[in-house]
Amino acid sequence: MKLYIKLAETLGERIEHGYYRPGDRLPSVRALSLEHGVSLSTVQQAYRILEDSGLAEPRPKSGYFVPPRRQTPALPAVSRAPQRPVDVSQWNDVLDLIKRSAKDNVLQLGRGMPDITSPTLKPLLRSLGQISRRQDGSGLYYDSIYGTQALREQVARLALDSGCQVPASDIVITTGCHEALSVAIRSTCEPGDIVAVDSPSFHGAMQTLKGFGMKALELPTDPLNGISLEALEMALEQWPIKLIQLTPNCNNPLGYIMPEARKRALVTLAQRYDVPILEDDVYGDLAYQYPRPRTIKSFDADGRVLLCSSFSKTVAPGIRVGWIAPGRYLDRVLHMKYISTGATATQPQLALADFIANGHYEPHLRRMRSQYQYSRDQMIDWVMRYFPEGTRASRPQGSFMLWVELPEDFDTLLLNRALLPKGVQIAAGSIFSASGKYRNCLRMNYSSKPTPSIEAAVRMVGETIRELMGE
Amino acid sequence: MKLYIKLAETLGERIEHGYYRPGDRLPSVRALSLEHGVSLSTVQQAYRILEDSGLAEPRPKSGYFVPPRRQTPALPAVSRAPQRPVDVSQWNDVLDLIKRSAKDNVLQLGRGMPDITSPTLKPLLRSLGQISRRQDGSGLYYDSIYGTQALREQVARLALDSGCQVPASDIVITTGCHEALSVAIRSTCEPGDIVAVDSPSFHGAMQTLKGFGMKALELPTDPLNGISLEALEMALEQWPIKLIQLTPNCNNPLGYIMPEARKRALVTLAQRYDVPILEDDVYGDLAYQYPRPRTIKSFDADGRVLLCSSFSKTVAPGIRVGWIAPGRYLDRVLHMKYISTGATATQPQLALADFIANGHYEPHLRRMRSQYQYSRDQMIDWVMRYFPEGTRASRPQGSFMLWVELPEDFDTLLLNRALLPKGVQIAAGSIFSASGKYRNCLRMNYSSKPTPSIEAAVRMVGETIRELMGE
């Protein structure tokens, strides 16, 4: 283990065990360098890790401090999902969320949109521009159905950070994570088949099941640990489940990271019942912890995990570049990819490969992770302040989305209807369930840097909730 | 009708009826201006139309001439397709064609790739570059699921040229024509359903039927007039056909344009049996005739035609921008589009909208049509010269693909295997059939300007054919 990681862990433990208390000043870089016999830059690297994981915060000219402990709302309840497979509904409410473009005059607090205004994206824009100007028109040709080789190699390298050894030849570039999910589902299931899913779950994946005629079996999911393996095992006994589909890292919408031991246990269970796993890791690189959490795929010994991801959340959604490492399903996935869109657009693949190869991806991630973590705390504070008492909220460990639970008889579809004339939109909880559960929940995006106008919008959401509750 | 179009028609009839003979000099611009009492520029416009449609050719400083009559090979036979629905096969041979990228050191004579080196594309590249440099990052956001409004409006305007009045609100932008075809099929059929198709037919559409589990009923297709309406009617009587899928304009691979009367009759037939029509018009704008041929959609009175197209063949395939005008199926198409890739990439849509709105699309088309027509004649000459006697060939009326028929027992899959070590690839005929027919046929691309190295490649293909025939 590298020295600075070891040092970060030592300091992290001291903080978590209360040796340093919230608000305390942490030892200076020089003092730690002397204490541990390491270089100043090693200490600085260690502090950067602690900063990334929210355990230390720098104050200008005063050094590092333990962040003050924040008051946090109660966690949402563990979901009690229906114990039988259902057809997916809720399309009209999803359409309502996605039919708007960025230019519409609505503050889209409900959309899964990252902040794309960071200066760390400039090299990507430059690269896109340069490829456009290339005289060989390299951005205009059909690409190979597998995707651009240079990008597949970069994806294979990045996968190592999640504990995955996937050669570039086993990676297929897709048109966003949407296409990766869609081809993965069609490569493993037939219409009518049952798919076990975490719940609440990404509405795009739910709608894909609907579109292809599969049934969803929603599993009880803990807001800190992910799906219940006990419930999954019972379900595997009871139903002919053809696929397990979940988002274990920085779950959308709950924000948890499934512990490693559970990931490992899940793979064992899937092996025992011989079921493939669709792992959606689209937010995995945005975990606030460092190093980033492992994928389920990293425990996969026999190619049963189809790992799906994209650069839509980490870099920019409008470029529509995702990827899939489909294990033993490569042949079927290639066919499904071909009949879905043919090859993926060439130019953004080339630009992304440049961006990553030239070392721009990691610094960009570092910046976004720290911005999102800061915004998360701010958003939780606002929800505490402006939402009615009794409001529960998730504790996201990565990404930029907060899941909020209101009293049981509240209806967030009505809330959205009341908010739209005021120019704000949230994501209603029911679209995250195959069967329209979570009507009293909502998802809010905190990817933008906190501003007074966002605070005003959150306050308005809170006030509208109170009005609808008749307070 | 505009004066110059009327004049072009008059002159065209005189040429076709033999009043002017091949090699004859045509009347001067001045003489025609006097004869018909029109301006010089009207005559020049008329001559440009005749030039575009191959009826006149300019010679520097000598005026216009009737092109010498070329010796042409016999047409391919009318396909006699199997008269029962079949499952689609041939995926491995398709994969063989599409797994290469443009950088592979193989002359891909088999691929449906347009010429993207024309200087008339420069404004598009400039526009792509400019959007990349925009500080508002407009190319990086998720777009609306419908697509960019500016592009939808341009597509609606262009559709008028094919006789179609489709408002922008009825158009959905897709990730290439592949996605348009795929969502159209899934919006109208269920697995197991029977789809009537022209034959030979685009391998991508065939593979889409395979991927979603539909059966293909291949209809006899005339190399000049398209599918047999008589056979279609019999099939509609006999089978529960759920969709009619065809490429009536600049058919891929046969190159014919279905006559207007037959298009109209097809719509009537579809109405009578209440079946939707999937019309693939991806090559329609590349017809050598002016104005371009009408779409089947232009005769559609009750929204049963799903018109699919893209800018992949007219502008550039690597940007992956297509569109669909789905008529009464709009709602289902939107859902299928969402679960396939989500929104389409933003930047290329914005750049294309600029390109078209600023008047760059039509001149580009004009140039490409005339280049492709010239290359077609050259390619037919080479096939006549270098392929064995008895070789038949299509007479493409647009686009850039020639269909070649060899003696009945020849196998073009073996030909491809023999050609690959020599660095050339053709498209084997069998991938254009659901059931692997047309083994003695092949498709060749003539989009590039004729060069000695392409001639050498065609000669090598001819020689390899002779070798395999044991000549």
Side-chain angles (χ1 to χ4, degrees):
Chain A
M1 192 187 293
K2 293 227 167 107
L3 264 183
Y4 66 93
I5 295 181
K6 208 166 140 59
L7 177 59
E9 284 190 352
T10 308
L11 289 169
E13 278 170 19
R14 288 186 191 171
I15 295 166
E16 286 183 339
H17 293 152
Y19 183 83
Y20 303 116
R21 311 279 304 168
D24 275 5
R25 182 180 182 157
L26 289 161
S28 71
V29 172
R30 182 171 301 275
L32 283 173
S33 156
L34 287 170
E35 180 189 343
H36 295 272
V38 295
S39 72
L40 293 176
S41 80
T42 299
V43 179
Q44 275 155 346
Q45 281 179 294
Y47 263 132
R48 185 172 302 156
I49 292 176
L50 290 173
E51 204 187 325
D52 279 352
S53 52
L55 290 171
E57 63 181 26
R59 292 191 198 153
K61 298 189 182 155
S62 321
Y64 282 90
F65 289 76
V66 182
R69 183 165 298 155
R70 288 162 177 277
Q71 212 192 343
T72 48
L75 282 169
V78 176
S79 63
R80 274 162 307 159
Q83 288 299 313
R84 55 178 184 78
V86 295
D87 286 320
V88 178
S89 49
Q90 324 304 325
W91 163 239
N92 285 334
D93 301 320
V94 173
L95 180 58
D96 211 45
L97 188 67
I98 58 173
K99 72 183 176 192
R100 278 162 228 291
S101 80
K103 282 180 194 156
D104 280 16
N105 216 359
V106 170
L107 182 63
Q108 297 179 49
L109 281 179
R111 203 92 188 257
M113 179 74 92
D115 185 358
I116 50 120
T117 63
S118 168
T120 46
L121 282 183
K122 282 200 174 142
L124 179 75
L125 294 171
R126 212 178 306 131
S127 196
L128 279 166
Q130 276 162 358
I131 292 163
S132 305
R133 285 193 299 278
R134 269 191 214 159
Q135 292 306 314
D136 63 354
S138 36
L140 301 182
Y141 283 106
Y142 276 122
D143 203 340
S144 155
I145 189 70
Y146 291 92
T148 299
Q149 185 59 19
L151 182 59
R152 294 165 80 202
E153 281 164 12
Q154 293 302 325
V155 168
R157 185 177 68 70
L158 292 177
L160 292 173
D161 294 344
S162 68
C164 256
Q165 296 212 331
V166 186
S169 56
D170 286 358
I171 289 164
V172 179
I173 304 297
T174 58
T175 305
C177 193
H178 254 269
E179 186 174 56
L181 296 174
S182 174
V183 302
I185 289 170
R186 285 185 281 128
S187 297
T188 50
C189 302
E190 301 290 326
D193 282 352
I194 301 173
V195 179
V197 298
D198 45 13
S199 176
S201 194
F202 170 47
H203 49 80
M206 291 294 97
Q207 292 301 320
T208 305
L209 297 183
K210 174 185 168 66
F212 297 120
M214 289 91 183
K215 288 177 192 299
L217 181 66
E218 300 180 288
L219 295 171
T221 301
D222 180 275
L224 289 181
N225 295 308
I227 60 160
S228 159
L229 295 179
E230 299 68 30
L232 173 61
E233 187 164 4
M234 278 174 58
L236 287 165
E237 278 295 333
Q238 197 176 350
W239 303 99
I241 290 170
K242 287 294 163 57
L243 176 68
I244 302 163
Q245 174 184 311
L246 73 177
T247 307
N249 291 322
C250 317
N251 174 271
N252 175 14
L254 279 171
Y256 61 80
I257 293 173
M258 197 173 172
E260 268 190 22
R262 296 172 70 91
K263 287 174 182 161
R264 203 187 293 265
L266 175 65
V267 171
T268 308
L269 204 54
Q271 276 175 334
R272 181 134 49 91
Y273 288 88
D274 195 18
V275 181
I277 298 173
L278 193 174
E279 177 177 23
D280 180 352
D281 189 54
V282 73
Y283 297 100
D285 278 358
L286 293 174
Y288 305 147
Q289 71 184 58
Y290 184 90
R292 60 146 288 167
R294 289 182 62 163
T295 48
I296 294 173
K297 177 86 176 170
S298 73
F299 299 105
D300 177 26
D302 56 3
R304 71 176 57 248
V305 179
L306 301 101
L307 177 62
C308 298
S309 190
S310 90
F311 296 98
S312 296
K313 308 302 181 181
T314 48
V315 178
I319 55 173
R320 308 309 296 130
V321 178
W323 52 274
I324 180 168
R328 60 167 85 155
Y329 301 95
L330 179 62
D331 287 346
R332 280 189 65 75
V333 159
L334 268 184
H335 189 254
M336 292 300 166
K337 156 69 179 149
Y338 173 61
I339 67 173
S340 155
T341 57
T344 292
T346 315
Q347 190 193 14
Q349 293 189 69
L350 292 170
L352 264 174
D354 275 3
F355 184 72
I356 304 168
N358 293 330
H360 298 301
Y361 183 65
E362 281 87 354
H364 171 67
L365 273 189
R366 212 152 46 226
R367 183 189 175 104
M368 299 324 292
R369 279 196 304 252
S370 119
Q371 172 179 326
Y372 294 153
Q373 189 173 12
Y374 177 76
S375 303
R376 171 197 65 178
D377 295 341
Q378 188 60 74
M379 184 58 94
I380 291 179
D381 280 357
W382 287 338
V383 166
M384 286 288 287
R385 195 174 311 159
Y386 299 122
F387 278 39
E389 213 169 318
T391 298
R392 293 160 172 256
S394 60
R395 208 84 75 250
Q397 299 303 303
S399 173
F400 42 75
M401 248 108 58
L402 188 70
W403 180 254
V404 176
E405 188 180 309
L406 297 166
E408 227 173 75
D409 52 353
F410 194 83
D411 187 342
T412 49
L413 286 173
L414 296 181
L415 172 63
N416 239 350
R417 229 166 284 162
L419 284 173
L420 267 185
K422 305 179 183 173
V424 176
Q425 190 178 33
I426 50 91
S430 51
I431 64 174
F432 297 90
S433 161
S435 52
K437 289 155 38 82
Y438 314 118
R439 291 184 82 86
N440 60 325
C441 298
L442 61 96
R443 192 189 70 178
M444 280 196 300
N445 179 313
Y446 54 79
S447 64
S448 301
K449 284 186 186 158
T451 61
S453 72
I454 296 180
E455 179 173 8
V458 176
R459 191 174 60 215
M460 200 178 59
V461 175
E463 285 166 2
T464 312
I465 293 171
R466 285 175 199 277
E467 279 165 29
L468 289 171
M469 286 170 71
E471 274 192 15
Chain B
M1 192 185 295
K2 293 227 168 107
L3 265 183
Y4 66 94
I5 296 179
K6 208 165 143 57
L7 177 59
E9 284 190 352
T10 308
L11 289 170
E13 278 171 18
R14 288 186 190 172
I15 295 167
E16 286 183 338
H17 294 151
Y19 183 83
Y20 304 114
R21 311 278 304 168
D24 275 4
R25 181 177 181 158
L26 289 161
S28 72
V29 171
R30 181 170 301 273
L32 283 173
S33 154
L34 287 172
E35 178 190 344
H36 295 272
V38 297
S39 72
L40 294 176
S41 78
T42 299
V43 180
Q44 274 154 348
Q45 280 179 295
Y47 264 132
R48 183 170 305 153
I49 293 176
L50 291 172
E51 204 186 326
D52 279 354
S53 51
L55 290 172
E57 64 181 23
R59 291 192 199 153
K61 299 189 182 156
S62 322
Y64 282 89
F65 288 75
V66 181
R69 184 164 298 156
R70 289 161 178 277
Q71 213 191 343
T72 47
L75 281 169
V78 175
S79 63
R80 274 163 306 158
Q83 289 297 313
R84 55 180 182 77
V86 294
D87 287 320
V88 178
S89 50
Q90 324 303 327
W91 163 238
N92 285 333
D93 301 320
V94 173
L95 180 58
D96 211 45
L97 188 67
I98 59 173
K99 72 184 178 193
R100 279 161 227 291
S101 79
K103 283 178 192 157
D104 281 16
N105 216 359
V106 170
L107 182 63
Q108 297 180 49
L109 280 179
R111 202 93 187 255
M113 179 74 91
D115 185 358
I116 50 120
T117 63
S118 168
T120 46
L121 282 182
K122 282 200 175 143
L124 179 75
L125 294 170
R126 211 177 306 130
S127 196
L128 280 166
Q130 276 162 358
I131 292 163
S132 305
R133 285 193 299 278
R134 268 191 215 159
Q135 292 306 314
D136 62 356
S138 36
L140 300 183
Y141 284 107
Y142 276 122
D143 203 342
S144 154
I145 189 70
Y146 291 91
T148 299
Q149 185 58 19
L151 182 59
R152 295 165 80 202
E153 282 164 12
Q154 292 304 323
V155 168
R157 184 177 68 72
L158 293 177
L160 292 174
D161 294 343
S162 68
C164 255
Q165 297 213 332
V166 185
S169 55
D170 286 358
I171 288 163
V172 178
I173 305 296
T174 58
T175 306
C177 194
H178 254 269
E179 186 174 57
L181 296 175
S182 174
V183 302
I185 289 171
R186 284 186 281 129
S187 297
T188 49
C189 302
E190 300 291 324
D193 282 352
I194 301 172
V195 179
V197 298
D198 46 13
S199 178
S201 194
F202 170 47
H203 48 79
M206 291 294 97
Q207 292 300 320
T208 304
L209 298 182
K210 173 185 169 67
F212 297 121
M214 289 91 184
K215 288 177 193 298
L217 181 67
E218 300 179 289
L219 296 171
T221 302
D222 180 276
L224 289 181
N225 295 310
I227 59 161
S228 157
L229 295 178
E230 300 68 30
L232 174 62
E233 186 163 6
M234 277 174 60
L236 286 165
E237 278 295 333
Q238 196 176 351
W239 304 98
I241 290 171
K242 289 293 163 58
L243 177 68
I244 301 163
Q245 174 184 310
L246 73 177
T247 307
N249 291 322
C250 317
N251 174 271
N252 175 14
L254 278 171
Y256 61 80
I257 293 173
M258 196 173 171
E260 267 190 24
R262 296 172 70 92
K263 287 174 182 161
R264 202 186 293 267
L266 175 64
V267 171
T268 309
L269 205 54
Q271 276 175 334
R272 181 135 48 90
Y273 288 88
D274 195 18
V275 181
I277 298 173
L278 192 173
E279 177 177 23
D280 180 352
D281 189 55
V282 73
Y283 298 100
D285 278 357
L286 293 175
Y288 306 146
Q289 71 183 58
Y290 184 90
R292 61 145 288 167
R294 287 182 65 164
T295 48
I296 294 174
K297 177 86 177 171
S298 72
F299 300 105
D300 178 26
D302 56 4
R304 69 177 60 248
V305 179
L306 301 100
L307 177 62
C308 298
S309 190
S310 90
F311 296 98
S312 295
K313 308 302 182 182
T314 49
V315 178
I319 56 173
R320 309 306 299 128
V321 178
W323 53 274
I324 180 168
R328 61 167 84 155
Y329 301 95
L330 179 62
D331 287 346
R332 280 190 62 76
V333 158
L334 269 183
H335 188 254
M336 291 300 164
K337 157 69 178 147
Y338 173 61
I339 68 174
S340 155
T341 57
T344 292
T346 315
Q347 191 194 12
Q349 292 188 69
L350 294 170
L352 263 174
D354 276 3
F355 183 74
I356 304 168
N358 293 331
H360 298 301
Y361 182 66
E362 281 86 355
H364 171 69
L365 273 188
R366 212 153 45 226
R367 182 189 174 103
M368 300 323 291
R369 278 195 304 252
S370 117
Q371 172 180 329
Y372 294 153
Q373 189 172 13
Y374 177 76
S375 304
R376 172 197 65 177
D377 295 340
Q378 188 60 76
M379 183 59 92
I380 291 180
D381 280 357
W382 288 338
V383 166
M384 286 289 287
R385 193 174 313 159
Y386 299 121
F387 279 37
E389 214 170 314
T391 298
R392 293 159 172 257
S394 60
R395 207 81 76 250
Q397 299 304 303
S399 174
F400 42 75
M401 249 107 58
L402 187 71
W403 180 254
V404 176
E405 189 181 309
L406 298 165
E408 227 174 74
D409 52 352
F410 194 84
D411 187 342
T412 50
L413 286 173
L414 295 181
L415 172 63
N416 239 347
R417 229 166 284 163
L419 284 173
L420 267 185
K422 305 177 183 174
V424 176
Q425 190 179 33
I426 51 91
S430 51
I431 64 176
F432 298 89
S433 161
S435 52
K437 288 154 39 81
Y438 313 118
R439 291 183 81 87
N440 59 327
C441 298
L442 60 95
R443 191 190 70 179
M444 281 196 301
N445 179 313
Y446 55 79
S447 64
S448 301
K449 284 186 185 157
T451 60
S453 71
I454 296 180
E455 180 174 8
V458 176
R459 192 174 59 215
M460 200 179 58
V461 175
E463 284 166 3
T464 312
I465 293 171
R466 286 175 199 278
E467 279 164 29
L468 289 170
M469 287 170 70
E471 274 192 12

